Amino acid sequence: MLFNSIDFIAFFLPVSLLGFFLVARTLGRRAACLWLIGLSLAFSAWWRVDNFYFLLLSIAANWVFVSALRSARRNGSRLGLWIFVFAVCANVTALAFFKYADLFAGMIHSTFDSTFIFEHVLLPLGISFYTFQNIALLADVHSGEADDLSFYDYCLFIAFFPKLIAGPIVHYSDLVPQFAKEETYRFNAVSFAAGITLLIVGLFKKVVIADGLLLPWTQPFFNEVHAGAPLGLIDAWAGGILFSLQLYFDFSAYSEMAVGIGLMFGVSMSFNFVSPFKAASAVEFWQRWHKTLTDFLTDYVFTPLTVFIGRRRMVQGKSLVRKDRASVGAFFWMIVVPIMVTMILAGMWHGAGLQFVGYGVLLGLYLVINRGFRILRARFGLRELPAWSGPASVLMTFLSVVTALTVLRSPDIMTALSLFQSQLGLNGFGKIIVLRDWTTVTTAAALLAWCWFAPNVQEWIGLTKEPAASRLESWGSRLAWRSNIGWSFVMGTLAVYSLSRLSDPTAFIYFNF
Amino acid sequence: MMPAAKELRYIWVILLIFFGALLANTFAVLIVDPQKVFGLFDVNRRNFEPNTRFLKAAYLLDHPEFDSFVLVSSRANAYSVVAAQEFAGGRFYNFTVGGDTPLGMLRKVEWLASHRRINRLVVSFSYDDFIYTDAEQNQYLTIEHPLISHSSWWSFWKPYLFGPYAHPLTMAQTLYGNFVKKDDWYTFDVRTGQYDFPLFRRQMADDPTAYVENRFHTPAILEKFPKEDSLKHLDTLVQLARTKGIDLVVLINPDNHRTFLSFRPDAYRSWLSNVVRIAGGVWDFSGLNSVTRSDEGYFEQRHFSEAIGNEALARIYAPNSALAQRHPDFGKPVTPENLAARLDALNRDWIDQGGRIMQLARKTNGE
């Protein structure tokens, strides 16, 4: 079921919220948890019942792993490490099977010219996200941080429907303790008001901006790309920028709706996007874009790998990276290798195909260049940069990201390379498909201005921990959200307008990953 | 004021606006009912096309007297049930619907055969009826009656309550067409299953040249090709007709030359060969003949009027009638035996006439 469907907004969500608070009040917390678990499983089955079966299988298998790990820990057995390795491998293998089965089947088919008919393997909805959450949980259980986890808590942690399909990827310690609190089961008007606002803003961003405005412009661009037509310089950039905006408005909308729905239940989750296009470097971009994936990859891939390499280098008496100082060897082994491994994995997580590896490589290169530049700046004493370098860095980071996201959206690596050539101007100016009229240009400019200069939704609502007030003050405090009558009318109208555009809901782009 | 009171008021106002608007719109949909799928009020009587698939099936449920049917897409609306009854006998009903596919046709025949005796079926196709899947054609306008699609009533009604046909603009269009617009451009008679375009008919009679210039255009060469599944659905229908002892006539529509020449010759010949092989024989009114070369009797390059449709019926069922004698080159029975000759003749049409007629068409189209 899509968040941007009438089924969800007018029926599923109101029923699940009403039921949750009523059940909690009349039958108690455990019953309310069961209600949420049941609804979440129904939510997964709504689209295809296979999603439900696979989610159940994943829950059952991982609960066995969790129980076995805990048992091994209690007995002080060294078997725990092997169980942990096996459990992680099982999760990764299942994810890899669903992501890569089609690709490998196609390769076998073409290499051996086989006559077997390979059935298309459908990716279970949300598997990329709940597999990562399972791995994170297994790591926590292995290190003894989740000893008090009950089966109900575990089911809710994995299946909680607002974040089931496309995140945010939450940590056990972020979510489960909230369900242990008494106040979560009592209706909280403050949290609900913020949640419903986020839901409506997200719905508007998805339905009106991503699908209504941007999709009709990016579609002809990618149709040309699919047809193999070499694009001109202007179109390659215009299409890339419009797609980057579409992806941002689409995915951030989903994430905001997910966080908003969570808040309506009294549960807070991390925001996935923090004005990513305001980033002035590749490192900063990753702290702002799909943040929960970055956090996961940092915690469970990058940091352990860097620590592992660092320890080995220390044992061998070799130099390490210290702040912004590094020898060539240390830079390669402790920065280039962990970054490239992490980013290639991040790319491959998005799907099967060399274009996804290319996406990871490109992002990894940006990060390596960024870190290298910092070290060079430190070495040559370039502490102070001219005033124009700030906006220039934001622009350069944005254009680099546009290139990478265009690669991500390309149907294959050859098309990605062709698009890259076009963006370098090697295919000339060509005919203009995307920027056909001034409406497209002005709308794209307005959306870019929104992304660059306006506060993000969490700042606007006041859900951020950082002191964002200064930005809001300069923006005009009257425009900051308050739970007053004026804003309720604005939000109600936005909701009704979005509803009128709901006629043909389209899936969120990130459901494909 | 309690600490959360203003938040509560904020929430209530949003919920009231949202659910109030949703409820008001739902009531309006039930009253205006642009698609006529709820049947509570009879507001839409003209100028806004209802869901004729649903209306025809619902009407047939209460009228078991019909034993003969004309089927498939909107083009077959031109085969008048009155003419069919006159030439072939029986009680005909025109069960054609806009955008229907061979799968839709099969489902309808299976449904009809499940509850009544069918004597005659006239199944009329065009090449491009085979290139779209049911899913591609499954617009809200064309959702089948739940008894035919075997879906739930809720999944049938939901798009009409909350989809594009529940949009206030759609309701405004319906009200404008029914109460403000003076000319009837569209009317539908559920008793025959046929719709009509009175305005176009008048325009055609008043100034045929201007009508053609305004309404006709040259379609681009069609780069989509028939689906294997569609041929399988035709095969299933032919088997069903044989099992049930139904007199089945498969007819290839007399598409206007502009449409015919937009088809890829190789793909068209292959498709026709398959249809003839499956059906065992067809009445082929396609190609370039004295009817299809002219624009007379066509609403535009895809749809023809009863003048042409009835002449085709006469050629099949009343070959000695005066109507059947009007254009001797109009329509040929094609069997596996004379298929090769027919394919050669069609090929000549493309080679000899294609370029000239396309030039004429472009001229007409002001290109």
Side-chain angles (χ1 to χ4, degrees):
Chain A
M1 198 184 321
L2 295 165
F3 286 173
N4 56 325
S5 66
I6 195 79
D7 295 319
F8 182 81
I9 292 169
F11 302 101
F12 187 89
L13 185 59
V15 168
S16 57
L17 281 163
L18 271 175
F20 178 71
F21 292 116
L22 275 176
V23 170
R25 197 169 184 171
T26 52
L27 300 173
R29 283 165 46 182
R30 177 55 59 86
C33 277
L34 282 173
W35 168 261
L36 259 189
I37 293 167
L39 277 173
S40 299
L41 294 175
F43 179 82
S44 75
W46 201 278
W47 213 321
R48 260 193 1 251
V49 76
D50 306 13
N51 294 323
F52 164 74
Y53 293 141
F54 195 80
L55 179 62
L56 270 192
L57 185 70
S58 172
I59 286 175
N62 278 291
W63 183 249
V64 170
F65 295 144
V66 165
S67 306
L69 263 176
R70 284 208 298 219
S71 169
R73 265 186 60 78
R74 269 197 299 272
N75 300 332
S77 163
R78 285 179 61 85
L79 199 62
L81 178 66
W82 291 107
I83 295 170
F84 173 65
V85 171
F86 177 78
V88 171
C89 287
N91 276 287
V92 172
T93 307
L95 181 60
F97 170 76
F98 284 107
K99 290 243 174 194
Y100 286 85
D102 275 358
L103 180 76
F104 285 123
M107 281 165 65
I108 292 168
H109 214 304
S110 56
T111 309
F112 299 104
D113 199 19
S114 73
T115 51
F116 288 112
I117 296 167
F118 292 101
E119 289 289 330
H120 172 58
V121 176
L122 287 169
L123 189 71
L125 213 56
I127 187 176
S128 309
F129 294 87
Y130 62 71
T131 299
F132 273 18
Q133 287 171 168
N134 268 319
I135 291 172
L137 177 74
L138 289 165
D140 288 346
V141 173
H142 180 55
S143 59
E145 288 171 34
D147 279 345
D148 53 345
L149 184 75
S150 73
F151 181 64
Y152 296 104
D153 290 340
Y154 169 70
C155 289
L156 207 47
F157 164 63
I158 293 299
F160 186 46
F161 75 83
K163 53 94 191 153
L164 176 68
I165 298 174
I169 298 169
V170 289
H171 206 269
Y172 145 80
S173 56
D174 294 332
L175 197 66
V176 173
Q178 295 190 62
F179 285 110
K181 287 182 190 164
E182 193 68 49
E183 58 261 34
T184 303
Y185 300 87
R186 282 196 299 266
F187 176 76
N188 179 336
V190 177
S191 168
F192 196 98
I196 199 170
T197 308
L198 271 175
L199 177 69
I200 293 168
V201 171
L203 184 69
F204 181 79
K205 281 169 74 176
K206 165 68 181 166
V207 175
V208 180
I209 298 175
D211 289 352
L213 279 179
L214 294 165
L215 183 65
W217 290 328
T218 54
Q219 202 63 55
F221 169 73
F222 283 104
N223 285 346
E224 288 286 317
V225 171
H226 278 268
L231 295 168
L233 179 74
I234 294 173
D235 259 346
W237 279 108
I241 289 171
L242 286 170
F243 172 68
S244 303
L245 286 170
Q246 186 201 348
L247 182 62
Y248 168 65
F249 277 100
D250 187 281
F251 193 21
S252 67
Y254 175 84
S255 301
E256 281 151 18
M257 289 170 90
V259 174
I261 295 161
L263 283 173
M264 291 164 90
F265 281 100
V267 173
S268 87
M269 292 183 286
S270 307
F271 281 94
N272 247 339
F273 292 86
V274 188
S275 305
F277 294 146
K278 286 176 189 163
S281 68
V283 172
E284 194 188 343
F285 176 77
W286 276 104
Q287 289 160 352
R288 291 167 172 269
W289 176 275
H290 205 177
K291 206 170 157 296
T292 59
L293 177 68
T294 309
D295 291 346
F296 176 88
L297 290 170
T298 306
D299 291 348
Y300 297 99
V301 182
F302 179 78
T303 306
L305 195 57
T306 312
V307 169
F308 175 75
I309 295 171
R311 278 184 187 154
R312 281 186 64 97
R313 287 181 67 83
M314 241 164 50
V315 169
Q316 291 164 356
K318 290 177 180 169
S319 65
L320 303 177
V321 175
R322 296 200 185 281
K323 216 177 172 192
D324 284 338
R325 287 166 52 197
S327 65
V328 174
F331 179 76
F332 179 78
W333 285 107
M334 294 192 65
I335 291 178
V336 178
V337 171
I339 284 178
M340 293 311 287
V341 168
T342 308
M343 296 322 289
I344 289 172
L345 278 176
M348 289 168 72
W349 175 84
H350 283 82
L354 281 175
Q355 72 273 31
F356 297 106
V357 177
Y359 170 68
V361 168
L362 206 52
L363 292 171
L365 281 177
Y366 294 162
L367 289 170
V368 166
I369 291 168
N370 194 185
R371 292 296 304 273
F373 182 65
R374 276 193 203 171
I375 289 169
L376 285 177
R377 264 178 65 191
R379 175 169 286 184
F380 294 107
L382 288 168
R383 293 281 173 204
E384 292 294 317
L385 290 174
W388 54 263
S389 70
S393 303
V394 171
L395 187 65
M396 212 163 81
T397 306
F398 174 69
L399 294 177
S400 311
V401 165
V402 166
T403 305
L405 293 178
T406 318
V407 172
L408 179 72
R409 175 64 174 77
S410 297
D412 51 63
I413 190 70
M414 294 316 289
T415 314
L417 289 173
S418 164
L419 267 170
F420 194 54
Q421 280 183 338
S422 300
Q423 287 178 339
L424 291 175
L426 300 177
N427 292 329
F429 278 90
K431 62 173 179 173
I432 293 175
I433 308 157
V434 183
L435 295 178
R436 284 165 302 182
D437 49 46
W438 282 104
T439 319
T440 323
V441 178
T442 47
T443 310
L447 291 174
L448 275 175
W450 178 357
C451 294
W452 276 329
F453 303 114
N456 57 50
V457 69
Q458 52 268 40
E459 288 172 333
W460 177 65
I461 295 179
L463 293 170
T464 169
K465 286 172 193 157
E466 290 87 34
S470 55
R471 188 184 295 277
L472 276 182
E473 276 164 18
S474 64
W475 207 61
S477 58
R478 279 191 174 189
L479 291 174
W481 174 81
R482 283 180 187 84
S483 51
N484 58 23
I485 283 288
W487 277 115
S488 63
F489 274 102
V490 172
M491 285 298 131
T493 311
L494 277 189
V496 171
Y497 182 66
S498 304
L499 176 76
S500 74
R501 305 288 299 268
L502 269 184
S503 54
D504 197 8
T506 56
F508 288 89
I509 296 173
Y510 250 71
F511 285 15
N512 300 319
F513 300 136
Chain B
M1 197 179 271
M2 284 168 63
K6 68 185 176 93
E7 277 80 14
L8 271 177
R9 194 177 54 191
Y10 174 85
I11 295 163
W12 274 117
V13 172
I14 291 177
L15 293 180
L16 279 174
I17 293 174
F18 182 80
F19 285 102
L22 189 65
L23 213 62
N25 200 64
T26 307
F27 273 120
V29 169
L30 290 172
I31 293 166
V32 178
D33 195 5
Q35 295 298 303
K36 302 191 86 165
V37 292
F38 301 109
L40 299 173
F41 300 92
D42 188 18
V43 174
N44 180 20
R45 296 179 180 189
R46 61 192 195 124
N47 293 332
F48 194 90
E49 189 174 355
N51 181 348
T52 54
R53 293 181 183 223
F54 173 80
L55 291 174
K56 289 182 186 187
Y59 183 77
L60 285 172
L61 273 176
D62 296 333
H63 292 84
E65 68 272 21
F66 294 104
D67 61 2
S68 302
F69 301 90
V70 181
L71 283 157
V72 200
S73 67
S74 56
R75 280 169 241 197
N77 179 65
Y79 303 110
S80 145
V81 294
V82 177
Q85 274 162 209
E86 185 191 329
F87 299 139
R91 285 300 307 274
F92 264 91
Y93 191 79
N94 194 309
F95 204 2
T96 62
V97 286
D100 210 2
T101 60
L103 176 60
M105 161 207 74
L106 176 62
R107 282 186 183 146
K108 286 178 191 65
V109 176
E110 283 174 341
W111 174 69
L112 288 167
S114 71
H115 69 269
R116 71 178 71 210
R117 162 90 194 134
I118 305 172
N119 288 327
R120 285 197 174 82
L121 278 182
V122 177
V123 173
S124 84
F125 290 121
S126 288
Y127 166 81
D128 47 357
D129 291 330
F130 280 68
I131 64 174
Y132 298 106
T133 62
D134 212 41
E136 285 169 315
Q137 295 286 63
N138 196 14
Q139 308 290 316
Y140 293 106
L141 180 66
T142 60
I143 297 177
E144 296 280 14
H145 193 290
L147 287 175
I148 295 177
S149 63
H150 304 294
S151 63
S152 67
W153 279 96
W154 170 242
S155 65
F156 172 75
W157 274 326
K158 200 179 75 176
Y160 299 110
L161 282 170
F162 308 112
Y165 284 93
H167 202 284
L169 279 176
T170 308
M171 285 185 275
Q173 281 174 354
T174 312
L175 295 174
Y176 175 80
N178 278 275
F179 301 110
V180 182
K181 198 165 169 56
K182 291 199 172 82
D183 280 324
D184 277 351
W185 76 267
Y186 175 91
T187 55
F188 171 63
D189 185 354
V190 75
R191 292 166 303 177
T192 59
Q194 289 182 272
Y195 44 81
D196 197 10
F197 306 108
L199 175 67
F200 296 147
R201 237 180 243 288
R202 278 199 300 279
Q203 287 175 348
M204 225 189 292
D206 291 348
D207 189 347
T209 314
Y211 182 82
V212 169
E213 276 175 12
N214 292 332
R215 296 272 305 160
F216 285 63
H217 73 88
T218 312
I221 297 295
L222 190 62
E223 296 294 356
K224 289 187 168 183
F225 303 101
K227 298 266 190 301
E228 192 81 8
D229 279 352
S230 292
L231 289 166
K232 283 183 190 157
H233 298 314
L234 174 63
D235 190 33
T236 312
L237 176 86
V238 171
Q239 303 305 327
L240 180 70
R242 282 179 189 150
T243 315
K244 298 271 180 186
I246 301 168
D247 175 17
L248 174 72
V249 170
V250 176
L251 181 160
I252 313 294
N253 287 321
D255 286 319
N256 182 268
H257 58 270
R258 290 173 175 79
T259 299
F260 175 72
L261 292 169
S262 71
F263 301 147
R264 285 264 173 224
D266 286 352
Y268 189 89
R269 282 196 297 269
S270 161
W271 167 78
L272 183 62
S273 306
N274 280 322
V275 171
V276 170
R277 178 180 51 78
I278 291 166
V282 302
W283 265 90
D284 186 6
F285 292 91
S286 72
L288 301 178
N289 52 55
S290 49
V291 171
T292 59
R293 273 198 194 101
S294 162
D295 293 323
E296 194 186 331
Y298 286 87
F299 288 114
E300 17 71 28
Q301 71 282 346
R302 293 203 191 283
H303 295 89
F304 43 95
S305 69
E306 282 179 15
I308 293 174
N310 293 351
E311 195 175 327
L313 288 176
R315 296 275 296 164
I316 299 168
Y317 289 115
N320 299 321
S321 65
L323 187 57
Q325 304 294 324
R326 268 184 71 193
H327 298 98
D329 67 336
F330 182 48
K332 289 181 173 51
V334 182
T335 59
E337 288 73 37
N338 67 359
L339 176 66
R342 178 69 188 139
L343 295 179
D344 282 346
L346 285 175
N347 213 24
R348 277 197 302 279
D349 284 346
W350 266 296
I351 294 167
D352 300 343
Q353 308 286 341
R356 191 174 64 80
I357 289 184
M358 287 305 273
Q359 272 178 351
L360 276 174
R362 288 201 176 92
K363 196 176 161 193
T364 314
N365 206 30
E367 290 172 20

